[in-house]
Amino acid sequence: IYLPAEGNGPFPVIVSIHGGAFMAGDKHDVQVTPMLKALEHGYSVVSINYRMSGEAKFPALVHDVKAAIRWIRANAKTYLLDPDKIATWGGSAGGYLSLMAGVSAGVPELEDLHLGNADQPCDVQAVVAWFPPTDFLKMDEQLAESNMAPVADEAHSGSHSPESLLLGKQITLIPDLVRAANPETYIHADLPPFFIQHGTKDNIVPHQQSVNMAAKLTSVLGADKVTLQLLPGAGHGDAQFETEENLKLVIGFLEKYLR
C-alpha cells in the first residue's frame, strides 16, 4: 500500500495489477512504477498479487483480484483509502485482470467469497488496461493479419501457451471455457468507464484485441465511457506507455471519474 506524502485521506485507490503471461511477476516489481506517479496527484496505490497459472487455473486469479478489492473496502478506514473511488490499472495479464474486474462484479462463477470479506462489494469505478489479451482464440489470427505471426511452438493456441496453461488445456479444445475467460462475455450496461491503450506493433498481444474489446464496450456503454488509444509503433510493454505525456493522459482519465 502506497500513500501520498501529504494529506490525511481518504485517498482514491488505484489497484495495480502486474502482468507476466499469467505465470510470473510480482506486486513489488517495476511494473508498479508508472502507477506510483499518481501518488503526486493524491491517489493511493494498492499493488496486489494473485495466483499464477502454475498454482491454480482460471478463474482463481480473477477470484483473487476480487478478494483484494473487497479487502480494500473492508480496511479502507485503517489505511486512509476511499472505498467509493477504486480503479484498476494493469498491463498485459494485469490489463486483462483490470478488465475482468471492471466487467464481472456480481458474476457468481467469478467470485469466491470464501477468500474473505464477503459482505463487501467488488465493483470498481474506473478501469485502465494496457495491451490486454481478451479473446484468446483470435490472437494468432490477428497477429498473422498484422504480419507478426508467432513462431509455431510459441503460438497462443498451442498446448503450452500462457493462455492454455491458464485454462488447463489447449484452448482450441475448450472454446466454452475460452469464452468464459473473455471479458467481452460479461459486458452489460451498468459498467464503469474504461481507458484502454495498445501499441500497433505489439507482436505478443495483437492490438486488435483492444480494438474489438473497446468496440463492444462502446456499443453497450456509449462512446463517452470508453476511450481507446492506439500508440503508433509501440510494442508490448513499450516505454511509450510510461512517458510523462502518456501518464498525464491516464491520470487525466482517473481525475475525471475518481474526483
Side-chain angles (χ1 to χ4, degrees):
I1 299 173
Y2 303 86
L3 298 178
E6 298 179 356
N8 297 316
F11 302 107
V13 182
I14 293 170
V15 181
S16 174
I17 312 174
H18 70 80
F22 306 113
M23 63 180 70
D26 185 79
K27 63 187 177 184
H28 291 293
D29 70 26
V30 295
Q31 295 182 69
V32 73
T33 303
M35 292 74 171
L36 296 181
K37 187 69 175 177
L39 296 174
E40 301 171 12
H41 299 268
Y43 291 85
S44 60
V45 177
V46 181
S47 188
I48 67 172
N49 272 347
Y50 52 91
R51 282 170 286 179
M52 305 282 95
S53 60
E55 302 173 88
K57 304 306 179 188
F58 175 87
L61 73 175
V62 180
H63 293 166
D64 293 347
V65 172
K66 302 284 196 66
I69 294 167
R70 295 196 307 269
W71 185 94
I72 287 168
R73 287 204 164 95
N75 294 276
K77 184 173 290 187
T78 300
Y79 295 101
L80 307 179
L81 309 176
D82 189 335
D84 298 319
K85 296 179 179 179
I86 300 176
T88 52
W89 180 356
S92 197
Y96 165 83
L97 285 169
S98 187
L99 292 175
M100 287 296 280
V103 300
S104 67
V107 176
E109 58 269 30
L110 296 180
E111 310 272 5
D112 183 357
L113 300 180
H114 294 98
L115 293 175
N117 303 296
D119 59 325
Q120 298 292 333
C122 65
D123 62 300
V124 298
Q125 284 64 60
V127 173
V128 178
W130 281 349
F131 39 92
T134 53
D135 190 347
F136 299 162
L137 281 172
K138 290 184 178 178
M139 294 174 76
D140 289 340
E141 172 189 334
Q142 291 166 344
L143 286 171
E145 288 173 2
S146 300
N147 295 316
M148 292 187 288
V151 178
D153 61 356
E154 297 177 353
H156 292 286
S157 296
S159 60
H160 296 291
S161 73
E163 297 76 25
S164 293
L165 293 174
L166 174 66
L167 300 188
K169 196 170 185 178
Q170 187 167 357
I171 59 173
T172 53
L173 304 177
I174 48 171
D176 290 344
L177 187 56
V178 172
R179 183 178 185 279
N182 185 348
E184 295 174 0
T185 300
Y186 305 98
I187 295 173
H188 59 89
D190 188 23
L191 292 180
F194 290 77
F195 186 89
I196 303 171
Q197 293 186 311
H198 214 123
T200 61
K201 294 298 184 181
D202 194 326
N203 64 352
I204 296 177
V205 177
H207 70 274
Q208 294 95 323
Q209 296 276 290
S210 287
V211 171
N212 292 348
M213 179 73 188
K216 292 181 180 181
L217 284 167
T218 300
S219 70
V220 176
L221 303 181
D224 290 346
K225 292 183 71 174
V226 183
T227 300
L228 170 68
Q229 294 181 345
L230 297 180
L231 278 61
H236 196 73
D238 198 285
Q240 284 191 49
F241 290 92
E242 299 188 28
T243 64
E244 183 176 351
E245 179 182 7
N246 195 59
L247 292 178
K248 282 182 179 178
L249 295 176
V250 179
I251 292 169
F253 165 79
L254 296 174
E255 289 281 281
K256 183 177 180 179
Y257 294 105
L258 265 63
R259 293 296 186 184

